[in-house]
Amino acid sequence: MRRQILDRALRLFAEHGFKGTSLHDIAVEARCSKASLLYHFAGKDAILAELLTPPAESLTALSGELAVLDGDRAVEPAVTGFIGLALRFHLEVKIIFAELPDMLNHPVLAVIPQAVDQLADALAGRSQEPRARVRAQMVIGGVAVTVASDVEVEPDTMRTELVQGALRTLGRPTS
Amino acid sequence: MRRQILDRALRLFAEHGFKGTSLHDIAVEARCSKASLLYHFAGKDAILAELLTPPAESLTALSGELAVLDGDRAVEPAVTGFIGLALRFHLEVKIIFAELPDMLNHPVLAVIPQAVDQLADALAGRSQEPRARVRAQMVIGGVAVTVASDVEVEPDTMRTELVQGALRTLGRPTS
DNA sequence: GTCAGGGCTGACCGATCGGTCAGCTACGGT
DNA sequence: ACCGTAGCTGACCGATCGGTCAGCCCTGAC
């Protein structure tokens, strides 16, 4: 039942946004009562937090791995690692980019922005130049939006093209 | 007063999202009563529609200009034109990318997706190849997210770097 | 048989939402 | 001096929101 609730809530949040989805909507989709949702979860926020915990932890883990690599060597792992996570959690990515700004009160979600900042740092090759920061931001946005959109492409084609596209964006021709 | 309302509503919608902003919030920010909002506008949706009409019209106009250009020649104008619009309407871009999916009922907003599709078509150089579609989507997402984010960069640096980054993403080295 | 407790529910609550309405105020035309 | 009207407001409305609570049902232990 918990699984069912989380599964349906994930789809609804991704489609209509967090604020755009009511507990009633989730209950109908999961074929249970609204009160049942609140038996399994402390509240609506708790459902979102539990949904976004796996991608948040994976992202912070990636940031940790990248932190030990210096400048140039961090770029390619950052690209492939981020794209891997984005593809794996594409629905969660859609939720995060849609309405994260308000949800930052919750401790689980608060770690996401700083992890993204560290990711941007790695993508920029530890450079503080404005031009490098812009490139990094373009990669993050491009990957996130593309993964969240419903372009009909085979998964491996999508992955390779995202990686190559990101590397070109950063001015790093494909090796 | 209308100007005041639209100005404050734009900022609030961009910051907290459309659903995340109440008429009360706008009224407080605009220093007037909630009833006054609904004297000037037919409803909350009408405020959003009026805010998004200028960028929507500009976008459809750009699509029209690009439609008469064939394949290769459409790419660069598409890049520079889209980036120009995105920079000019950066707050509106943030609103659109955050919660457009639900608002498509309104006729003013319904034209946006098809205009974006035509833009993607031009960015892909009229190619139907999956790889080209992915690249185009990456450019749209990268530009939109970068413009909507608050990276602190001088406007002209931002513009030139966005254009060059987009062209690199598309595999078109800067001329 | 019975009892305890986890899973679940309908009924209900206060808060807040978008929106309506009668009426107040200020002011320009005659 | 009078009036029409544009601008604006407080009070109020029904709907919907997230969340609470007493209690029902079922099953497994003894």
Side-chain angles (χ1 to χ4, degrees):
Chain A
M1 185 79 262
R2 270 182 67 97
R3 298 281 183 184
Q4 177 100 344
I5 292 172
L6 287 174
D7 184 59
R8 305 298 176 162
L10 176 59
R11 293 183 210 279
L12 287 172
F13 287 163
E15 190 171 358
H16 306 291
F18 179 70
K19 295 194 194 69
T21 303
S22 70
L23 293 178
H24 175 73
D25 296 335
I26 303 174
V28 169
E29 202 72 13
R31 291 182 223 287
C32 71
S33 72
K34 191 179 66 171
S36 181
L37 300 182
L38 296 155
Y39 167 77
H40 288 290
F41 300 93
K44 194 186 179 188
D45 290 357
I47 300 178
L48 179 67
E50 188 151 331
L51 284 175
L52 297 189
T53 293
E57 287 182 347
S58 297
L59 185 61
T60 55
L62 174 63
S63 291
E65 295 172 12
L66 295 175
V68 303
L69 302 176
D70 54 39
D72 262 12
R73 296 188 187 277
V75 177
E76 277 202 34
V79 168
T80 58
F82 173 55
I83 289 173
L85 290 184
L87 286 171
R88 182 144 63 99
F89 297 109
H90 63 106
L91 288 178
E92 290 86 347
V93 165
K94 198 167 184 177
I95 299 172
I96 291 173
F97 266 76
E99 343 195 19
L100 188 82
D102 291 337
M103 303 287 125
L104 299 185
N105 304 330
H106 208 289
V108 175
L109 313 184
V111 302
I112 294 180
Q114 68 185 48
V116 171
D117 279 348
Q118 293 176 12
L119 175 65
D121 213 50
L123 287 173
R126 311 280 181 231
S127 168
Q128 294 300 328
E129 282 187 44
R131 301 168 73 246
R133 314 279 308 173
V134 172
R135 294 182 186 190
Q137 195 70 27
M138 285 187 72
V139 167
I140 292 175
V143 170
V145 169
T146 305
V147 155
S149 74
D150 30 55
V151 285
E152 292 160 0
V153 181
E154 295 172 9
D156 44 346
T157 305
M158 173 77 98
R159 170 177 255 106
T160 62
E161 195 59 27
L162 281 174
V163 171
Q164 293 179 7
L167 290 175
R168 280 199 310 273
T169 305
L170 295 171
R172 304 220 163 203
T174 309
S175 55
Chain B
M1 184 79 264
R2 270 182 66 97
R3 299 282 184 183
Q4 177 101 344
I5 293 172
L6 287 174
D7 184 58
R8 306 298 177 162
L10 176 59
R11 292 184 210 279
L12 287 173
F13 287 163
E15 190 171 357
H16 305 291
F18 178 71
K19 295 193 193 68
T21 304
S22 70
L23 293 179
H24 175 74
D25 296 336
I26 303 173
V28 169
E29 202 72 14
R31 292 182 221 287
C32 70
S33 72
K34 191 179 65 171
S36 182
L37 301 182
L38 296 155
Y39 167 78
H40 288 289
F41 300 94
K44 194 185 178 188
D45 290 358
I47 300 178
L48 179 68
E50 189 151 332
L51 283 174
L52 297 189
T53 293
E57 287 181 348
S58 297
L59 185 61
T60 55
L62 174 63
S63 291
E65 295 171 12
L66 294 175
V68 302
L69 301 176
D70 54 36
D72 262 13
R73 298 188 186 278
V75 177
E76 278 201 35
V79 167
T80 58
F82 173 55
I83 289 173
L85 290 183
L87 285 171
R88 181 144 63 100
F89 297 109
H90 63 105
L91 287 178
E92 290 86 346
V93 165
K94 199 167 183 177
I95 299 173
I96 291 174
F97 265 76
E99 343 196 17
L100 188 81
D102 291 337
M103 301 288 125
L104 300 185
N105 304 329
H106 207 291
V108 176
L109 314 184
V111 302
I112 295 179
Q114 69 185 45
V116 171
D117 279 347
Q118 293 175 13
L119 174 65
D121 213 49
L123 288 173
R126 313 277 183 234
S127 168
Q128 294 301 327
E129 282 187 44
R131 302 167 73 244
R133 314 279 307 176
V134 172
R135 294 183 186 189
Q137 194 70 29
M138 286 187 72
V139 168
I140 292 176
V143 170
V145 169
T146 305
V147 155
S149 74
D150 30 55
V151 284
E152 292 160 2
V153 181
E154 294 171 9
D156 44 347
T157 306
M158 173 79 98
R159 170 177 255 104
T160 61
E161 195 58 29
L162 280 174
V163 170
Q164 293 177 6
L167 290 176
R168 280 200 309 272
T169 305
L170 294 171
R172 303 218 162 204
T174 309
S175 55

